[in-house]
Amino acid sequence: MHDSQIPLQPSTPLYHDYLKSSSHRQQALCGNVEGWGPLSPDRFDFTPCFLDVWVAVVAAGGVLGGAAAIYYLLTKCPSQQVKKDWHFFAKLATIGALIVTAAVQAVLQTQYYAGIWIQDFRFWTSILTILSLCVIFYVQYIEHWRSRNANGVVLFYWLFLLIIYGVKLRSLVSRGLYHDHLAYFIVFCVNVGLAGLEFVLEWLVPKRLSDYDALGDDDECPFEYADVFSVLTFSWMTPMMKQGYKTFLTQDDLWNLRKRNTTQSTGTAFRRAWSNELEKKHPSLWLTLFHAFGAPYFRGALLKSVSDVLNFVQPQLLRLLITFVDSYRTEDPQPVARGAAIALAMFAVSVSQTMFLNQYFQRSFETGIRVKSALTAAIYSKATRLSNEGRASKSTGDIVNYMAVDTQRLQDLAQYGQQLWSAPFQIVLCMLSLYQLVGWSMFAGVGAMIIMIPINGYIARLMKTLQKEQMKNKDSRTRLMTEILNNMKSIKLYAWTTAFINKLNYIRNDQELKTLRKIGATQAFSNFTWSTTPFLVSCSTFGTFVLTQHTPLTTDIVFPALTLFNLLTFPLAILPMVITAIVEASVAVGRITSYLLAEELQADAVLREDSVEEIGEESVRVRDASFTWDKNEERRALHDINFSAHKGELACIVGRVGNGKSSLLQAILGDLWKIKGEVVLRGKTAYVSQSAWVMNASVRENIVFGHRWDPQFYDKTVKACALTDDFASLPDGDQTEVGERGISLSGGQKARLTLARAVYARADVYLLDDCLSAVDQHVGRHLIDNVLGSKGLLSGKTRILATNSIPVLMEADMIALLRDGKIIEKGTYGQLMAMKGEIATLVRTSQNEDQSEAGSRTSESVVSDEETTIYGDGPISDDDPDAEAAQGNGASLAPLKPGNGAARKSSFNTLRRASTASFKGPRSKFVDEEGGLKSKQTKEFSEQGKVKWGVYGEYAKTSNLVAVLIYLAFLIGAQTMSIGGSVWLKRWSEVNQRYGGNPQVGKYIGVYFAFGVGSAALVVVQTLILWIFCSIEASRKLHERMAFAIFRSPMSFFETTPAGRILNRFSSDIYRVDEVLARTFNMLFVNSARAAFTLVVISASTPIFIALIIPLGALYLYIQRYYLRTSRELKRLDSISRSPIYAHFQESLSGMSTIRAYSQQRRFEQENEWRVDAHLRAYFPSINANRWLAVRLELIGSVIILASAGFAIISVSSHSGLSAGMVGLSMSYALQITQSLNWIVRQTVEVETNIVSVERVLEYAALPSEAPEIISKNRPPISWPSQGGVSFNNYSTRYRPGLDLVLKNINLHIKPHEKIGVVGRTGAGKSSLTMALFRIIEPSDGFISIDNLDTSKIGLLDLRRRLAIIPQDAALFEGTVRDNLDPAHVTDDTELWSVLEHARLKEHVASMPGKLDARIHEGGSNLSSGQRQLISLARALLAPSNILVLDEATAAVDVETDALLQATLRSSMFKNRTIITIAHRINTILDSDRIIVLDHGTVAEFETPAELVRRKGLFYELVKEANLLGALDVTQA
């Protein structure tokens, strides 16, 4: 050593000096006497060299990570203009200062380690630190322009550097370095201070933004600019959690999606990958998904494996902790610092495991979202390209299912798929750890597990069959309920409520709940096997260990092993679930692949060219072309077609039903497969399909259809299409919602609406498929004059019209006749009439028919509107003759003189083409801005916020309070037993430890076994009590109350409430009450008990822990409240935004040919993407809210672990004599608590979401009911009504409060046995008269008496049973013929046969298999409509009544049956009955005794028919309109 003095060095050399380096006794690269350590030989501290190793590790991390960060920032992040501010300079100055201090440190080190500094590791550490600071300097310099948030590498670098500096500083202080080497100490302290300052500047001070970013997007997702700590702790979710806590979240509060999660970007990624895949022979959807979305998923896999490994570090640490505690019984206790290190390590492992796990979940869920949205977009865009062959094999329902069900399965798989390798990995890790603890005995445990697997498998199979049976029961109940709701009016009119209540209760109580009880029992048994498995495993392992090995079974083996067994239950439980998920997903992948590979439309079927300018130029040319619907079949739809159409001409295509008119139009559109020939189309097309396709939107949106808004032309269009009057009659004019959700239009209105859509599009070529058959004659005339004809709006366009209407032919410039797919005649009207060919015959016959028909058909408009409803939903193909038949019998238009061809020039020759509006978001927001639309049904009332406590109370009451209390007692018992088992284990292991062997094995194992099995048995009993005595009881009562309330509700309730909404309460809400609620309550209670017991155990071992419970509990409740509110609203938003996706998809599928004809595919795809995104905007935060919660709760759990370990260490080191067993027990419980805490919050949310169902059921159970069925004081005499006289006294009524009166001051006296006819125009109040008679609507004034008995004083059942009615629509139910005639089964067969004979149905019923017990399908679909009418006649004959009301529905009955009916009604059977007939066809009531003429709810005339005609009043007008004056005079004569 040099003797010369070194500046700053004291003259008295210290032994073991921190900065001294000696050349003797030195280890490689470490000049210090203490060597590499890690612990110093003579003080409790790390050696200097060892500490510097960690500094070096951080520095090296900084260099490598910094380099990666620089690469990322320079390549991936575009540079933006950002002004430099103080923050920028402060950060860089601080790092500059740090580099200087580090350099000073290195210089000092060269002085101190004179002679050997080149070989001293500590010097090189300083150099490495300087290097890393330079790299970090550069990162922080460039991130100013290229990143909005602090770089993750930088933040971690500062964090770790500070931690290691802190440890080093502590070491320096403990050595008293400031006495000797003050200079070095000061430099080091400055270094630490600067590093801390830099960390604060980088992390907590927000960066200056570029001007572009500063403008920002209000709804931007904070994840985009969250720093790494915020990402790890999910703090970026906090603003939303806060907002959800303060107010109820709505759609507008949600953030936008991250760019890479939007459907547009996921869809693009998927398309790219799929198109690469399509080049192969067998494209694989799996590979496509991996290519498109695999990267983050596999990063997730890495995170997951780290988290799994960390999971198994805990038991090892626990073992160290127990040995630490145990060492205090010996002479040589371990140093306290070691205990502290173990406790801190447990905390650190717990926290980092949480971080890794939640990041992995985040990745999995995001991948799930991406897969689902990409597939949804792909399925939608494929639907726009499907050809007819492709469509034929997949029904609309199937395709919607791909989107709803199959993509959901793949999303679920993305969330759980990683468990496929992770679960076995966890099991292997567990086995290894166990082997290290107990040796070969662990195989006994494994054996026990393997034995349990088939048992659980069997139970799962049993559950599956029971669930299938339950599905059947549910379906049959839902079907019955649907029928009941659809035919409620008939059930009330026939007074059949009791019969149907009994039917419903039979299915519900004797079938559904019976199966549910079985399910409950199976569930209990499966709970038993699950709860015994870990216990049997530990029992067999410990038993084997004790019997085979001579080492004592001590605490440091027992408790780590218990912890490991607890860890083992999860992977074992999840594996079978994952395997089913994979099987389901692969089925789904198969289905989606086959769909994505289905046939597409022929791309080159039609050559599209630019539009023509001059009138008379050819705009459509079909040359020698043949087409087929299905290219795999030989059958051709059209052969050798030669056809051309010119601008400004109207070309008509005529032909019988099914001869290919529609096919020709669709061939021109390119929907058919072209076998040969050419089709040229010049310009844009507009298309009106035969079955009008109306979107779920307002009328205006249906007409404008994505084009720019042009009010002038819009008004012209509406006038020309004769829609002005219709708009006036609609509740909100052209803003009225039509389609599913709004008001339904009549067939004629739909046809005109779609025609208006075509006109508004201002295309070049118009393809109109028979748009005239659905409208009345005068409207048809109007359309010809204003739209189609030579003076119409479209006169300058090419118009091709498929039609059977004669008046149009006279306007046509060219007519082509199709027969069997060939054109057989072509020419102008004049030429063809002169040729005397088929068209001439067609015109002549129709003119003759017209003359003769005018007599019989009265109200053309009623008939033609009725007829259009035949059309199905799907696009009509020519293979469907029924659909085309609707054209043939549409009203033929009255013949007109051929129009004058000269006046062709019209100002509309060249309408400007409509330009497409740009897509600005959706057609309609989910929330309706215009509050005051009448066409909406009443909004469904949805509770916001917390469910009232009353609902819980009500549920507990219906569940039987005693049973609930017993259940809770058993629950606590079971938990106590299971804790008892652990306490007993502790005692046993402590005894063994004392003896150093294993005494009295049998006694200890026996008691332990008894505890375990007892606890499991109590679990079974508790589950059974919960299911059978509480839950099923409650759901039986609730369903009964709701069903009863529904049956007793007045008709007005059913008119204002859509059936779907009521059904929803009976299906999904009841399902939740039946199956979900009990399960969630059980989980909630079990986990709460578990957590409470854990806290008790920890407090018992270290009483000081009680002080921590209060603040931790407060924090827990605070977090939970935050989460509960937000999560509930997010869930609600999530479910609200889901259905519009499927609704829109279903609707687009049915109108695909229209969408294609207008080339609007892209707009509809964007609309679909928008809807999916709107759903994801709610779904994404709701997932992350779960992660947010998990991170916070697991942090509380980690604190509990730290506290219980820390308190144990403090307690032991102060020699309190705390035993190792107690510590082991409390720690093994503490390690489980996070899971329980997590579950409690989850289940609270579940309970809250599901108890809403109870609330909704209770809401319907409390509906206002109509008058009582029977008033016992006022029962009519048995024979009433013996005479059958009916009188209305000053009678007025309205349908429901707040509406106008429908009948005003009616005074009528109908004598017994009179035959009365009731006539009047639509809306005059004819049907209201019957409703009043049956008290479906109650009087607001006056009363009705029958045989001088006031009907409003008696019960409804008594009244309705004594009146007979044949309603307008015969309601038939699924069941037998007998059920339909007499649901209560009170009449005998002979009587039934006799009424069937009178109703002319005897032969038909006798010919059916099963005769009276023959099946009738839902809605009576296996009987003709005439037969259905006759069934209701038979019902009327069965009713013991002298009054018969006929709400005459002759629209359904053909002429012969009508004649039969009339004959029966005039036969001797009905001679003594009063018959009131509400007539729609005048001829059926001309022979009545008297006729009531109603007008606007008042009686206008009431006399004999002849007298009324003589008066020439309203009745005379009606008869004249029907051309029946002659008939009436004949009757007179």
Side-chain angles (χ1 to χ4, degrees), residues 1052-1085:
S1052 61
F1053 171 73
F1054 299 96
E1055 282 155 8
T1056 53
T1057 316
R1061 189 183 300 169
I1062 305 176
L1063 258 184
N1064 204 359
R1065 308 255 160 143
F1066 275 96
S1067 53
S1068 70
D1069 286 331
I1070 284 288
Y1071 158 73
R1072 290 210 180 123
V1073 175
D1074 280 354
E1075 299 187 32
V1076 186
L1077 210 59
R1079 213 173 31 231
T1080 41
F1081 265 122
N1082 191 27
M1083 295 284 276
L1084 177 66
F1085 288 141

Side-chain angles (χ1 to χ4, degrees), residues 1233-1249:
I1233 193 166
T1234 32
Q1235 214 176 2
S1236 291
L1237 291 180
N1238 229 328
W1239 272 111
I1240 291 173
V1241 176
R1242 286 285 158 77
Q1243 296 307 325
T1244 322
V1245 175
E1246 282 292 294
V1247 164
E1248 284 237 317
T1249 3

Side-chain angles (χ1 to χ4, degrees), residues 1288 1290-1293 1300-1308 1317-1329 1491-1503 1508 1514-1515 1518:
F1288 285 75
N1290 269 334
Y1291 188 87
S1292 308
T1293 185
D1300 303 334
L1301 290 173
V1302 279
L1303 295 176
K1304 304 168 196 138
N1305 294 340
I1306 297 221
N1307 283 301
L1308 287 172
V1318 183
V1319 295
R1321 299 196 183 267
T1322 317
K1326 302 192 296 284
S1327 298
S1328 313
L1329 216 54
I1491 286 180
I1492 300 172
V1493 185
L1494 286 175
D1495 185 35
H1496 294 94
T1498 56
V1499 177
E1501 305 170 353
F1502 183 28
E1503 260 307 331
L1508 289 175
L1514 285 168
F1515 184 66
L1518 290 166

